[in-house]
Amino acid sequence: MVLERNKDISRFSAFKTPATTEYFFELSVRTEFDELVTVLAKIRELKLPIVYIASGTNCLFAFDHFPGIIVHIAMRDAYFTQENKILYLHAESGVLMWPVVSESIKTYGVPTLLPWVGLPGTVGGAVVGNAWCFWLETSAIVQSVEVLDTVTGEVAILKNNEMKYEYRSSILKWQDRHLVVATTFNLQYLQVDNPFTKMTIAEMQATRRTKQPPGLSCGSYFTNPSGTSAGKLIDQVGLKGTSVGGMQISPHHANFFVSSPGATWQDVLKLAELAKTKVRETFQIELHEEVRIIK
Ligand SMILES: Cc1cc2nc3c(=O)[nH]c(=O)nc-3n(C[C@H](O)[C@H](O)[C@H](O)COP(=O)(O)OP(=O)(O)OC[C@H]3O[C@@H](n4cnc5c(N)ncnc54)[C@H](O)[C@@H]3O)c2cc1C
């Protein structure tokens, strides 16, 4: 039985703020699909909310107790194939990015995933949120996505263009019906001509460390408004280093909110509101969350 009740889920969000959920389902293998579909049918009858999460590195739990179900995607099978000299990665959605990134470079000598060295989170999270690092956006290498329709129990394959990729988003990001089962990546993606492409893994790790602040965060909190960056705007309104409760706008990078022990989801929302208000008043620009706020 994989359905649990009254589960502490604080560890499933990168902010690590306290949270519990009424129902929790850990999806580890495909043979659990039928059970999941049955459980979700009951949850829908009760008109309770359904949310899928993976590593939670892009999610804020904005509640003390979630009234519905959190489905944790933990299917972790992955393998590589080669056809006509092209390397393909086939990975289930709960596979962590880092080990497969490392294997594609070290074992197969293919540098396509190099910019993703140090990208936290899973394959499913990157595919749904169209993660982007340095010069590589997920949509550039997704060949096809296997999805489970949790209403009918059917599994289907979506082609890249059916994912309707946009900046940090896809057709699957703001819905609760389809979940990503697995993805096939085509790693032949042609490298753009830039000096980073010759970097080693260690150099890439060091580059990421210089650009991203330490501590517990969900990466960039806001998406970048067109033509500028959210971090620059928040910095220019003087909020770098500002704290609310246990949450701080990083003194190193103003679009990173860093959590310390005792931080609450209310602290995150208050800090975000402060940044949004100041930026709106000063620049007449509206900031929008990249982090998914789950309520
Ligand atoms: C220190 C740090 C650095 C970061 N740097 C970057 C960066 O350089 N570039 C970048 O793009 N992001 C970055 N991020 C954000 C985050 O790591 C990525 O967005 C990551 O891809 C999210 O993966 P996840 O498994 O944690 O997804 P989660 O946070 O668990 O979920 C994110 C979204 O995807 C949905 N989802 C997840 N899995 C599935 C599934 N199988 N089926 C359906 N829906 C699903 C969730 O419902 C949610 O809407 C960073 C985060 C941190 C903490």
Side-chain angles (χ1 to χ4, degrees):
M1 185 69 177
V2 278
L3 183 66
E4 295 176 60
R5 298 219 39 189
N6 289 316
K7 169 108 175 160
D8 184 339
I9 51 166
S10 318
R11 73 181 175 90
F12 292 105
S13 155
F15 284 129
K16 303 280 182 283
T17 49
T20 55
T21 182
E22 189 62 31
Y23 299 97
F24 180 86
F25 192 106
E26 174 111 341
L27 182 66
S28 309
V29 285
R30 289 163 188 255
T31 47
E32 290 161 353
F33 285 176
D34 287 348
E35 187 180 358
L36 177 66
V37 168
T38 306
V39 167
L40 293 189
K42 288 193 184 123
I43 297 286
R44 288 189 175 103
E45 261 171 46
L46 296 170
K47 300 203 182 322
L48 295 175
I50 296 168
V51 167
Y52 308 120
I53 57 156
S55 284
T57 59
N58 214 23
C59 290
L60 168 69
F61 296 145
F63 50 79
D64 296 324
H65 183 73
F66 190 65
I69 188 165
I70 299 283
V71 179
H72 179 228
I73 316 281
M75 294 176 289
R76 299 214 172 98
D77 193 24
Y79 60 94
F80 290 88
T81 57
Q82 277 176 309
E83 283 167 50
N84 301 326
K85 299 195 179 154
I86 300 175
L87 184 68
Y88 293 91
L89 164 62
H90 313 268
E92 287 188 331
S93 52
V95 167
L96 288 171
M97 287 310 317
W98 165 238
V100 286
V101 166
S102 169
E103 192 177 347
S104 68
I105 300 167
K106 288 184 182 162
T107 308
Y108 295 95
V110 174
T112 302
L113 296 178
L114 184 66
W116 287 7
V117 166
L119 173 68
T122 62
V123 163
V127 166
V128 168
N130 196 14
W132 176 90
C133 306
F134 299 102
W135 61 91
L136 180 64
E137 195 164 38
T138 310
S139 56
I141 55 170
V142 166
Q143 169 117 340
S144 60
V145 181
E146 185 183 359
V147 294
L148 171 70
D149 180 338
T150 62
V151 171
T152 64
E154 283 166 15
V155 171
I157 305 286
L158 298 183
K159 294 196 191 106
N160 181 303
N161 62 349
E162 293 171 301
M163 289 292 287
K164 306 223 181 315
Y165 273 121
E166 289 176 15
Y167 171 62
R168 295 301 82 73
S169 187
S170 72
I171 195 172
L172 298 178
K173 183 152 179 183
W174 309 106
Q175 53 82 53
D176 65 11
R177 178 162 175 168
H178 294 90
L179 66 83
V180 174
V181 174
T183 301
T184 295
F185 297 92
N186 177 335
L187 301 186
Q188 192 200 23
Y189 172 72
L190 295 175
Q191 307 291 325
V192 291
D193 186 20
N194 79 46
F196 291 119
T197 54
K198 300 280 180 284
M199 278 180 163
T200 63
I201 287 182
E203 285 166 342
M204 204 68 220
Q205 280 169 320
T207 303
R208 188 174 266 273
R209 273 196 298 273
T210 62
K211 293 189 183 295
Q212 295 191 340
L216 298 177
S217 78
C218 275
S220 294
Y221 191 85
F222 296 108
T223 54
N224 287 325
S226 132
T228 183
S229 86
K232 200 160 145 193
L233 297 174
I234 298 169
D235 189 6
Q236 285 173 352
V237 297
L239 289 179
K240 230 179 191 179
T242 302
S243 293
V244 172
M247 196 61 64
Q248 185 187 38
I249 294 181
S250 168
H252 307 284
H253 189 315
N255 200 17
F256 276 59
F257 291 12
V258 181
S259 173
S260 55
T264 64
W265 60 268
Q266 290 96 334
D267 296 340
V268 185
L269 295 188
K270 279 183 200 155
L271 205 52
E273 201 44 50
L274 181 63
K276 282 175 145 184
T277 305
K278 287 259 187 182
V279 168
R280 187 186 306 122
E281 284 171 1
T282 313
F283 301 110
Q284 293 76 52
I285 292 176
E286 200 58 43
L287 292 177
H288 298 284
E289 282 78 6
E290 176 175 331
V291 168
R292 176 161 178 204
I293 315 290
I294 300 171
K295 330 188 209 198

